Amino acid sequence: MFEIRVICTPDDADRVSTALAAAFDTGPARQYPTRDRKRLRLYVTADHRTSGTNPANTESE
């Protein structure tokens, strides 16, 4: 398990969260404003998907 931090605009937060959820097993994204209050910091706890469920997994069984 690992933590992912992304800094993005508020308009991109949903798109980024969805993309991360498609690539990893994730928990809910925690959102905090950046110091300048113009962007968001997204923190997502993630884990690699198990074998066979990751579309990026190119190993043959």
Side-chain angles (χ1 to χ4, degrees):
M1 189 168 284
F2 52 95
E3 187 88 357
I4 299 171
R5 181 180 72 170
V6 177
I7 298 174
C8 63
T9 63
D11 293 341
D12 288 336
D14 288 337
R15 185 178 58 82
V16 170
S17 295
T18 301
L20 289 172
F24 303 101
D25 287 329
T26 63
R30 297 173 315 281
Q31 297 184 11
Y32 303 98
T34 56
R35 290 181 188 170
D36 64 8
R37 304 266 181 209
K38 295 179 182 177
R39 296 172 291 166
L40 289 176
R41 289 178 289 138
L42 302 179
Y43 291 90
V44 179
T45 301
D47 203 354
H48 295 284
R49 293 191 183 265
T50 56
S51 180
T53 61
N54 185 350
N57 185 0
T58 58
E59 292 182 32
S60 59
E61 294 181 16

